[in-house]
Amino acid sequence: MGCGHKDDKASLASSQIVSFSHQPHQPPSTPASKEVWKKGGRMFSILLAVHLALLACTLVSSGAFEKIAVHDYDVFFLLTVMMLIVIIWIIFYLFGTSRCPDAILCKDSHAGPIWLRGGLILFAIFSLVMDVFKIGYYSSFYSCLSAIKIIYPIVQAIFVVVQTYFLWISAKDCVHVHLNVTRCGLMLTLTTNLAVWMSAVTDESVHKAHSKLKKNVTEEIFRWLMKAGMRSSSAEECNCNSQICQIFKNGYFWLYPFNIEYSLFASAMVYVMWKNVGRFIDHHSHHIHRLKFRLFRRTFFVGIVLGLIILVSGLGVLILYEVQVNSSTESSKKSQALTMYYIFNIVCLGLMSLVCIGGSVIYRFDKRDMDRHKNPTRTLDVALLMGAALGQYAISYYSIVAIVASTPRDAISALNLTYALLMIAQHTFQNIFIIEGLHRQPPKEDHKHDSHQKDLYGLTFVNINAVSLRVPDSGSTLAPSTASGTEAIHPSDLVRSLTAPKKMNWRRKFLREISMFLLLSNIILWIMPAFGARPQFDNDTELNFYGDSMWPAIVDICLPFGIFYRMHAVASLLEVYIMS
């Protein structure tokens, strides 16, 4: 496993660098093409990840059902072992692989942007708080529980700290030593994050479904929903009766959405690192744009103000919805809460759809070139946007079929139908807007007239007519200067140079307003379902049409993808905002 292993290609990388100095026009793909068995190394790591993912998925799904002889502590044991192996590999990478000679010959400037790593740290902090609450909850009755239930959150907290540090400093690395070991380690890390995500989604879904359906389900489904995280044989003995125990229990369930998002964010960053293993980057085509994040400059504040109004209004709707649906047994208050929820979402989704259409129209007049360079980060962003949207598409189409085929139809059914249709339209238009924004080149100055613009911008407050008197209109008098190698300045060119940046700034300002409005709107549309506002369980139309078992299963499978879509859209829109 040393740095001089044949598989690591350290000597090959060094010889290729020397060859670059003698052949400056050699294509950048030549070094990467000489790596032995690159596709085979990738395939082996993919097979490892697939088998581990299937094993974890089997245990997690089996542990959710009481009749299957797979307990939750079996799932915790597997996840604990996987996290410990990943921690060992990360330590080996940080102190072994990355310190080898010629280990990291280049870095991917697009991978791991600062706002993505900042979001990862934010979710990591909340995940650590959740682990503390879990430790406190299970410690309240440790005498009747398996020790793995207390060990698991401790190991998970260590895993979150180590992995977050690893991704913060190594997300941009293009490794050229220990290639196969690094690929397998990264795939193991990705699979571990996905397994933790599956476990958290299952646990949270069972808890949410139990709290909402325990009064209206059959005995068999009720027993399944009681499988929320403790052994059925000791459920009565391990009841959580003290007030501090209830605080820990409710606290870590409320923090589950942050842990879910952390696992998905980490998986995305690890995948980009896996794609960059053994990659050589052509720095002539791989432009590094140092963009500055200016939130309160070059903006009209319209998008921020409207987005904040939507955000605050959504928080109010969420609070009222939770109070009226979960705390009240009256059907009239439940109908009022559903009506309020649907009206808010219809207005919000309608505005977002119109804004996305307007942004796509503005892009039609944008003169910036399309960025066609290889970019694994952008490719992953597009794939995640398209893939995660399928979850909300599925729920919407199931709702449309149930509403259209059901009788009688009331006002809530009409609102629900409108909400489902707008959800499909909004996801579609927003994906088009984001994908087009991600493929645009960042704004840059026209280098052809840089020497003239330096002088022209100094004439901003000079009378254009006065300038035209000093510059001859005839092209013949400008010939000497043209022949000497400098480009002549014509009055019309002067006026065009002074006015062109204004037109460009108008388009950029509108794109920034649109991006900021969509960003804030997606935040509230992530918060509402993530923290309990799920009308799919409270509206009886779909529940009666598909049954008490099929519809909750559909929502539990598809809704996590819809929630992840919102948070990933926030990160992508922030990048579009900065690139505008």
Side-chain angles (χ1 to χ4, degrees):
M1 299 302 294
C3 299
H5 195 274
K6 292 182 180 180
D7 182 52
D8 301 335
K9 311 294 185 300
S11 60
L12 175 62
S14 302
S15 63
Q16 293 298 338
I17 295 176
V18 174
S19 65
F20 278 164
S21 61
H22 299 288
Q23 298 178 2
H25 299 291
Q26 185 175 0
S29 59
T30 303
S33 63
K34 291 186 178 181
E35 179 189 342
V36 180
W37 206 47
K38 180 176 182 179
K39 292 184 178 179
R42 285 187 173 183
M43 184 59 65
F44 181 78
S45 62
I46 291 174
L47 289 175
L48 174 65
V50 168
H51 286 289
L52 286 176
L54 290 176
L55 176 61
C57 183
T58 302
L59 284 178
V60 170
S61 59
S62 300
F65 293 91
E66 190 178 26
K67 292 183 178 181
I68 301 177
V70 175
H71 300 279
D72 51 359
Y73 52 76
D74 297 324
V75 179
F76 291 157
F77 178 79
L78 174 65
L79 297 179
T80 301
V81 172
M82 293 176 67
M83 287 189 291
L84 287 174
I85 296 175
V86 171
I87 291 172
I88 294 173
W89 174 79
I90 290 177
I91 294 174
F92 169 77
Y93 178 89
L94 293 176
F95 295 98
T97 301
S98 62
R99 297 189 179 184
C100 289
D102 299 326
I104 303 172
L105 300 177
C106 52
K107 289 180 177 287
D108 184 2
S109 62
H110 298 291
I114 186 64
W115 55 88
L116 185 61
R117 288 181 291 165
L120 185 75
I121 289 180
L122 177 64
F123 290 132
I125 292 173
F126 284 106
S127 297
L128 291 176
V129 176
M130 183 201 72
D131 290 326
V132 172
F133 278 34
K134 269 190 174 183
I135 295 171
Y137 170 64
Y138 288 126
S139 299
S140 300
F141 37 82
Y142 65 92
S143 58
C144 63
L145 291 175
S146 174
I148 193 65
K149 288 195 172 182
I150 301 178
I151 296 175
Y152 171 73
I154 296 176
V155 174
Q156 187 180 25
I158 299 173
F159 171 75
V160 168
V161 173
V162 174
Q163 180 178 243
T164 304
Y165 175 76
F166 164 69
L167 292 176
W168 179 265
I169 66 172
S170 305
K172 299 178 181 293
D173 291 355
C174 296
V175 184
H176 292 86
V177 299
H178 299 162
L179 297 179
N180 291 334
V181 174
T182 303
R183 287 194 181 103
C184 292
L186 289 171
M187 271 298 167
L188 176 61
T189 306
L190 188 149
T191 307
T192 302
N193 281 285
L194 292 180
V196 172
W197 170 76
M198 285 187 289
S199 176
V201 167
T202 302
D203 201 5
E204 190 215 15
S205 299
V206 169
H207 174 74
K208 293 290 184 182
H210 170 253
S211 62
K212 289 182 177 294
L213 297 177
K214 61 182 179 180
K215 296 182 181 180
N216 300 315
V217 297
T218 61
E219 181 65 22
E220 181 181 359
I221 300 176
F222 178 76
R223 292 180 61 201
W224 170 65
L225 292 171
M226 283 297 294
K227 186 74 173 176
M230 56 182 64
R231 296 175 59 182
S232 57
S233 59
S234 60
E236 296 181 359
E237 184 180 358
C238 296
N239 282 334
C240 182
N241 297 321
S242 63
Q243 184 176 4
I244 187 66
C245 179
Q246 288 293 336
I247 293 175
F248 284 138
K249 181 180 179 181
N250 295 329
Y252 87 79
F253 272 116
W254 275 99
L255 292 172
Y256 258 134
F258 298 101
N259 181 248
I260 291 171
E261 298 300 332
Y262 171 82
S263 299
L264 293 176
F265 268 52
S267 299
M269 297 178 68
V270 169
Y271 174 79
V272 174
M273 286 190 65
W274 178 80
K275 290 286 289 184
N276 284 331
V277 173
R279 180 187 176 196
F280 286 88
I281 297 177
D282 181 16
H283 292 284
H284 296 285
S285 61
H286 193 77
H287 302 287
I288 300 176
H289 304 283
R290 302 185 181 277
L291 302 175
K292 297 181 179 180
F293 181 72
R294 296 185 178 97
L295 182 62
F296 299 109
R297 294 185 63 180
R298 298 181 181 179
T299 181
F300 299 118
F301 297 97
V302 178
I304 298 176
V305 172
L306 289 179
L308 289 176
I309 292 174
I310 294 291
L311 181 61
V312 174
S313 302
L315 291 175
V317 171
L318 174 62
I319 295 173
L320 293 176
Y321 183 90
E322 286 291 318
V323 171
Q324 294 187 7
V325 172
N326 296 332
S327 302
S328 178
T329 58
E330 299 181 10
S331 59
S332 60
K333 289 189 176 181
K334 178 180 176 181
S335 300
Q336 292 177 0
L338 286 172
T339 302
M340 175 183 59
Y341 179 89
Y342 283 132
I343 291 176
F344 170 79
N345 279 271
I346 288 172
V347 173
C348 182
L349 294 173
L351 288 175
M352 293 174 70
S353 300
L354 293 175
V355 165
C356 289
I357 294 174
S360 299
V361 172
I362 293 176
Y363 276 128
R364 300 278 71 80
F365 300 97
D366 198 346
K367 303 301 182 182
R368 287 180 293 169
D369 296 332
M370 301 295 289
D371 187 0
R372 296 180 175 86
H373 297 109
K374 183 179 179 181
N375 188 343
T377 304
R378 183 177 59 208
T379 303
L380 179 63
D381 287 339
V382 173
L384 290 177
L385 283 173
M386 301 297 292
L390 296 178
Q392 192 58 57
Y393 282 155
I395 294 178
S396 298
Y397 280 117
Y398 273 107
S399 297
I400 291 171
V401 171
I403 295 168
V404 173
S406 299
T407 54
R409 302 182 181 89
D410 53 5
I412 293 182
S413 298
L415 292 173
N416 192 8
L417 178 62
T418 307
Y419 166 74
L421 292 173
L422 282 175
M423 187 68 74
I424 295 173
Q426 191 273 328
H427 277 72
T428 303
F429 295 135
Q430 181 169 267
N431 283 345
I432 294 173
F433 173 77
I434 293 176
I435 293 173
E436 192 159 8
L438 292 176
H439 284 81
R440 292 285 177 174
Q441 290 277 10
K444 57 184 179 179
E445 297 294 336
D446 188 3
H447 300 288
K448 183 178 179 181
H449 298 93
D450 276 350
S451 60
H452 295 289
Q453 288 177 353
K454 291 179 181 179
D455 298 330
L456 295 179
Y457 290 146
L459 301 174
T460 304
F461 301 101
V462 179
N463 189 355
I464 299 299
N465 295 326
V467 175
S468 63
L469 292 176
R470 298 173 59 185
V471 181
D473 292 335
S474 175
S476 59
T477 58
L478 300 175
S481 62
T482 306
S484 63
T486 59
E487 187 176 351
I489 305 176
H490 196 271
S492 60
D493 296 333
L494 175 61
V495 176
R496 191 181 304 111
S497 300
L498 290 174
T499 57
K502 289 186 177 181
K503 295 180 181 179
M504 184 65 70
N505 286 337
W506 280 95
R507 284 194 293 269
R508 293 174 188 169
K509 287 180 180 179
F510 277 116
L511 290 174
R512 281 172 171 258
E513 300 293 340
I514 291 172
S515 301
M516 186 55 61
F517 171 75
L518 292 175
L519 188 150
L520 294 173
S521 299
N522 276 281
I523 289 177
I524 189 58
L525 292 181
W526 170 76
I527 291 175
M528 296 183 78
F531 291 94
R534 301 182 179 181
Q536 296 86 3
F537 289 117
D538 301 316
N539 195 343
D540 297 332
T541 303
E542 294 92 336
L543 199 62
N544 295 334
F545 186 81
Y546 293 110
D548 293 338
S549 58
M550 180 179 177
W551 180 242
I554 293 172
V555 175
D556 287 340
I557 293 173
C558 298
L559 191 60
F561 292 96
I563 295 175
F564 170 70
Y565 171 84
R566 293 299 177 186
M567 185 49 60
H568 189 69
V570 169
S572 299
L573 285 166
L574 184 59
E575 185 172 358
V576 173
Y577 177 88
I578 297 176
M579 297 280 285
S580 299

